[in-house]
């Protein structure tokens, strides 16, 4: 006979925790929901101030030395904040853990740009988040829990398409950038977690800040009540993915207007980028962008690839796969490409490129000689932020997988840049993707 204890997954000789909270947290819960509370005394945070000292650190920690000083909403780590909480609950990480930042300083000291001090030019990342020891060391010495939101490192990377380009002679082994005949490439990498200045984000989207705060509160399940109760706090660390910058060639060239710059802005597509699914052009275009960026760097310029965590047009993989099913079972033609997505997600695309140029401002990019992208949304967002694009480079036709013609042709018809064929609505009806006839009955 199975006992209730066994049914609940507990063996007879193990007892459930009787007071698990007390093993991690000895104090009562402290809420900082409203301004003016006795436990609320935030350190001033002046977004866009002329110096990092005047601006102040971004503080979200609920550490006992910091909780009353918090001047922002959310938690560090984006979506990974949840894993941090799980590690604490499981007893693997002390609740009051403080990092040791010895030897973590950036491998390249990016020069301060005028945009770092402009409250409306950079609104979705902390311009001073890459070197908190230098900028905010005095707070760390006082026991205040300041955390970085940007990290700068260097690495060597190997991509199969780049190795192939070396073997075929399209890329040369120069010893500085491409440093082996296997196609190993030196790169500077910058990881960025999102930090939103809410008044600036609202202005960028052309919406009222109160509406933005309410929407963020309501549609994160009410997880961040301070969005609506603490209007004195203007900074929010959203629980979303960030971005990574890959710089080929000396990083100091990126902000030098006297050298050419090639840029690929790429939004995450796990299925194609990692597992090379052929239903879209993501992996081929990413590989092409990396190769062209390396070529530009080898010619004395700078090559930059920026990878944003916006899986499935920021709709997520679950929605993306549901769309795949709808497409393949309903007749996969280019004229219905966007309709399939709208039927399930309600919109064509939620990547909203309005915030994307912030990283370009942070890097000091003032013009783009070769934009390795066909996206009209990316192009328009960059140009609207005052960064001219001199040339747009579409993916070469021979790199487009057969089954991805549905996607790319539909996007060209919708406004994507091309130097090749354009399509009418009637043309799109004849652009068909691979069916599932060999896998399952397509009639449902």
């Amino acid at each position: 006979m199975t006992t209730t204890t066994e049914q609940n997954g507990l063996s007879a000789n193990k007892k459930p925790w009787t007071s698990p909270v007390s093993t991690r947290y000895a104090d009562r819960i402290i809420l900082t929901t409203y301004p003016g509370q006795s436990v609320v005394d935030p350190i001033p945070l002046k977004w866009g101030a002329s110096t990092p000292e005047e601006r102040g650190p971004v503080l979200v920690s609920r550490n006992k030395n910091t909780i009353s000083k918090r001047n922002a909403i959310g938690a560090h780590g984006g979506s990974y904040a949840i894993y941090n909480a799980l590690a604490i609950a499981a007893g693997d990480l002390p609740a009051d853990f403080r990092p040791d930042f010895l030897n973590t300083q950036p491998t390249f000291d990016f020069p301060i740009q005028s945009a770092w001090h402009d409250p409306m030019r950079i609104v979705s990342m902390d311009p001073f988040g890459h070197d908190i020891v230098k900028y905010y060391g005095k707070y760390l010495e006082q026991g205040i829990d300041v955390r970085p939101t940007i990290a700068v490192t260097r690495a060597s990377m190997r991509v199969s398409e780049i190795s192939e380009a070396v073997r075929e002679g399209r890329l040369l082994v120069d010893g500085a950038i491409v440093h082996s005949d296997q196609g190993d490439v030196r790169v500077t990498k910058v990881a960025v977690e999102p930090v939103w200045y809410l008044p600036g984000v609202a202005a960028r989207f052309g919406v009222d800040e109160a509406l933005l705060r309410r929407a963020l509160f309501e549609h994160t399940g009410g997880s961040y009540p301070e969005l609506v109760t603490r209007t004195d706090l203007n900074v929010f660390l959203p629980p979303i993915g960030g971005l990574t910058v890959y710089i080929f060639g000396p990083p100091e060239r990126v902000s030098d207007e006297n050298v050419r710059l090639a840029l690929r802005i790429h939004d995450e597509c796990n299925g194609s980028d990692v597992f090379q699914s052929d239903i879209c052009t993501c992996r081929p275009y990413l590989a092409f962008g990396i190769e062209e960026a390396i070529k530009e760097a080898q010619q004395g310029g700078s090559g930059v690839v920026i990878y944003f965590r916006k899986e499935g047009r920021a709709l997520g993989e679950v929605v993306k796969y549901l769309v795949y099913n709808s497409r393949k079972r309903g007749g996969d033609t280019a004229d219905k490409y966007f309709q399939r997505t709208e039927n399930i997600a309600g919109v064509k695309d939620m990547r909203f490129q309005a915030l994307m140029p912030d990283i370009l401002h942070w890097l000091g990019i003032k013009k783009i000689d070769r934009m390795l992208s066909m996206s009209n949304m990316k192009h328009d967002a960059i140009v609207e932020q005052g960064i001219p694009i001199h040339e747009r480079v579409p993916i070469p036709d021979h790199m487009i997988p057969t089954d991805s013609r549905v996607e790319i042709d539909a996007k060209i018809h919708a406004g994507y840049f091309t130097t090749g064929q354009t399509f009418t609505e009637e043309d799109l009806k004849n652009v068909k993707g691979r069916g599932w006839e060999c896998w399952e009955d397509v009639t449902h």
Side-chain angles (χ1 to χ4, degrees), residues 153-168:
T153 190
R154 60 170 64 103
S156 181
M157 60 185 283
R158 183 183 294 183
V159 177
S160 60
E161 290 91 338
I162 300 306
S163 299
E164 179 183 293
V166 171
R167 288 195 301 271
E168 294 181 355

Side-chain angles (χ1 to χ4, degrees), residues 18 24 77 98 213 249-251 270 291 308 310 320 353 402-403 410-411 441-443:
T18 55
R24 302 290 180 267
R98 296 285 304 282
R213 286 174 175 265
N270 184 62
E291 181 174 338
F308 285 82
K310 297 179 182 178
K320 182 165 78 169
Q353 302 295 348
T402 301
D403 199 40
K411 289 180 176 179
D441 180 5
V442 296
T443 302

Side-chain angles (χ1 to χ4, degrees), residues 293-308:
I294 293 170
K295 286 179 181 177
E296 197 69 66
Q298 288 185 323
Q299 293 166 8
S302 181
V304 178
V305 175
I306 306 179
Y307 194 92
F308 285 82

Side-chain angles (χ1 to χ4, degrees), residues 149 175 179:
T149 56
H179 62 90

